[in-house]
Amino acid sequence: MSTSPRFYRMHNVIQDYAWGSTTSIGQLFGIENPESMPQAEIWMGAHQNGCSQIDVDGKPTLLSDFIDADKATLVGAQTAETFGELPYLFKVLAAEKALSIQVHPSKAQAEAGFAKEEELGILRTAGNRNYKDPNHKPELVYALTPYQAMNGFREFAEIVANFRKLEIAEINALVDALEANQNEAGLETFFEAMLSLDGEVKETSVAKLLAYAEANKEQELFALILDLAEQYPGDIGLFAPLMLNTLTLQPGEAMFLYACTPHAYIKGTGLEIMANSDNVLRAGLTPKYMDVPELVACTTCQPIPFDSLLMAPKVENGAEHYPIPVPDFKFSVYQQVENQALTTDSAEILLAVDAPLTLSHEEGETVTINKGESVFIPANAGTYLASSTGKFARAYN
């Protein structure tokens, strides 16, 4: 019989990015914030930019160091061979302001881009660095509150119609070209040209956009543009809602964000699980570096039908299992279970969402965590039992 623990309480990093909410994480989980700092993200995982700690033999230990000591046992032999690390990062994300519009590269694009920038000697911390690591970053977001976002291009004709309403002389030729070429090549040309506007043409176009939005602010789309303009005045990304699907997830709804797809989180709090990467190519709503040619090269300029954006789970025995199309992670949500048997052959992170969660193992070990707390479970834990009067989320692979 093994004497090593099966359950490890996690001590997680809270990232204080400027766009974060000062109240949401406290309201949802009771986590104190006496200095009213923006609490943007809680990171649960082994990422170098915000690694969780666990207690091992009474000592605080970085989860990454713990895993590195025996990868095959702790994350599973297959995961260790395929990924060489815990292959996902699990987060709570609480946005008070909009995040930048961004695209994440595919695995092949990330590997090539990372190698190229390494060869050029660009520091990984440099502001003009595109690729922080050689990995892709597909992700899923699960709403805890109403969660407003943009995800993927609208239908070609819808984009044309939105810009036709504006009748901005400075960009009408671009709109004409898109209307004549309603295909991937036409949208790519239009997208790059819009992001490349500068000087007086950019200033005039944005000013005319905002004038139209002010005159039509009873429409949800233009009210959104006005809200974004307060956060990012003069930013070319203010045109993005005309090009991208906008939606508000209700609590309990989820969507998947594919590589090479432009998206942005606007406001709300949710759970997010992603491949273990920090690669971001920005497309507006940001003061940070934008490499438009590289961004466009990594963007699939094809519409995503609006009615396909939400991801429907497979419901089974009180659990919602989401059909994740990548091997890096899996995600499930359980609600009101009593001694639910769960079996793992990969490393897992469980988060108590709105009520305490009690775990027990046949070897006699038990642990109870409160809402907002998480626990790391190594791959060799086998089968364990979970009980909660509320909801908990399970990240694994």
Side-chain angles (χ1 to χ4, degrees), residues 196-212:
S196 302
L197 294 179
D198 62 3
E200 189 176 337
V201 171
K202 174 187 171 184
E203 291 174 16
T204 303
S205 298
V206 171
K208 290 181 177 179
L209 166 67
L210 296 183
Y212 185 93

Side-chain angles (χ1 to χ4, degrees), residues 32-52:
E32 294 184 358
N33 185 17
E35 297 178 10
S36 292
M37 295 288 288
Q39 294 179 313
E41 296 183 345
I42 303 175
W43 284 27
M44 296 167 280
H47 196 284
Q48 62 185 7
N49 293 342
C51 187
S52 300

Side-chain angles (χ1 to χ4, degrees), residues 99-106 109-110 129-131 135-139 150-153 191 195 244 257-265 277-284 286 289-301 304:
L99 285 67
S100 60
I101 305 160
Q102 50 194 253
V103 167
H104 304 309
S106 69
Q109 289 164 343
R129 177 92 188 204
N130 289 316
Y131 299 94
N135 204 9
H136 63 168
K137 194 185 175 187
E139 54 195 49
M150 292 185 270
N151 185 4
F153 286 108
F191 185 51
L195 292 178
L244 304 181
L257 296 108
Y258 291 87
C260 306
T261 301
H263 63 275
Y265 298 148
S277 172
D278 203 22
N279 283 328
V280 173
L281 296 162
R282 293 178 177 83
T286 180
Y289 177 66
M290 280 173 52
D291 184 337
V292 173
E294 190 70 18
L295 165 79
V296 173
C298 291
T299 300
T300 300
C301 293
I304 297 180

Side-chain angles (χ1 to χ4, degrees), residues 19-98:
W19 48 261
S21 171
T22 59
T23 58
S24 187
I25 284 176
Q27 289 169 350
L28 287 170
F29 304 127
I31 295 174
E32 294 184 358
N33 185 17
E35 297 178 10
S36 292
M37 295 288 288
Q39 294 179 313
E41 296 183 345
I42 303 175
W43 284 27
M44 296 167 280
H47 196 284
Q48 62 185 7
N49 293 342
C51 187
S52 300
Q53 290 190 343
I54 57 173
D55 295 324
V56 180
D57 298 327
K59 298 176 183 176
T61 303
L62 288 174
L63 182 58
S64 55
D65 290 346
F66 179 65
I67 288 171
D68 286 346
D70 190 356
K71 291 179 184 176
T73 299
L74 299 174
V75 301
Q78 185 174 341
T79 297
E81 183 178 343
T82 303
F83 298 99
E85 62 179 1
L86 185 69
Y88 59 83
L89 178 61
F90 190 23
K91 297 180 181 180
V92 177
L93 187 151
E96 181 65 29
K97 299 176 182 176

Side-chain angles (χ1 to χ4, degrees), residues 105-282:
S106 69
K107 178 71 172 169
Q109 289 164 343
E111 288 174 344
F114 179 78
K116 180 180 178 181
E117 291 187 336
E118 288 287 280
E119 189 177 331
L120 291 171
I122 302 173
L123 292 177
R124 295 186 193 178
T125 55
N128 65 334
R129 177 92 188 204
N130 289 316
Y131 299 94
K132 307 292 175 62
D133 53 66
N135 204 9
H136 63 168
K137 194 185 175 187
E139 54 195 49
L140 173 137
V141 63
Y142 175 94
L144 297 177
T145 70
Y147 196 94
Q148 192 175 23
M150 292 185 270
N151 185 4
F153 286 108
R154 296 174 182 267
E155 300 289 351
F156 298 119
E158 193 177 352
I159 297 172
V160 171
N162 283 339
F163 278 86
R164 281 286 179 232
K165 293 175 186 175
L166 307 176
E167 282 302 324
I168 296 173
E170 287 76 6
I171 59 172
N172 271 346
L174 301 179
V175 181
D176 291 343
L178 177 60
E179 187 169 31
N181 297 278
Q182 296 186 36
N183 51 45
E184 185 171 359
L187 181 54
E188 180 178 307
T189 299
F190 180 77
F191 185 51
E192 182 166 15
M194 286 299 301
L195 292 178
S196 302
L197 294 179
D198 62 3
E200 189 176 337
V201 171
K202 174 187 171 184
E203 291 174 16
T204 303
S205 298
V206 171
K208 290 181 177 179
L209 166 67
L210 296 183
Y212 185 93
E214 183 64 38
N216 294 274
K217 59 187 176 185
E218 75 284 353
Q219 297 178 37
E220 190 175 337
L221 178 60
F222 294 102
L224 169 59
I225 290 171
L226 291 175
D227 285 345
L228 294 174
E230 290 187 15
Q231 298 173 33
Y232 298 98
D235 195 290
I236 197 64
L238 298 175
F239 283 100
L242 304 175
M243 292 186 264
L244 304 181
N245 293 304
T246 62
L247 73 164
T248 299
L249 278 66
Q250 296 306 310
E253 292 183 333
M255 69 178 178
F256 193 79
L257 296 108
Y258 291 87
C260 306
T261 301
H263 63 275
Y265 298 148
I266 299 169
K267 188 171 184 178
T269 300
L271 305 180
E272 186 182 33
I273 182 168
M274 63 192 68
N276 195 32
S277 172
D278 203 22
N279 283 328
V280 173
L281 296 162
R282 293 178 177 83

Side-chain angles (χ1 to χ4, degrees), residues 374-386:
S374 59
V375 62
F376 175 79
I377 304 174
N380 65 346
T383 298
Y384 60 94
L385 302 178

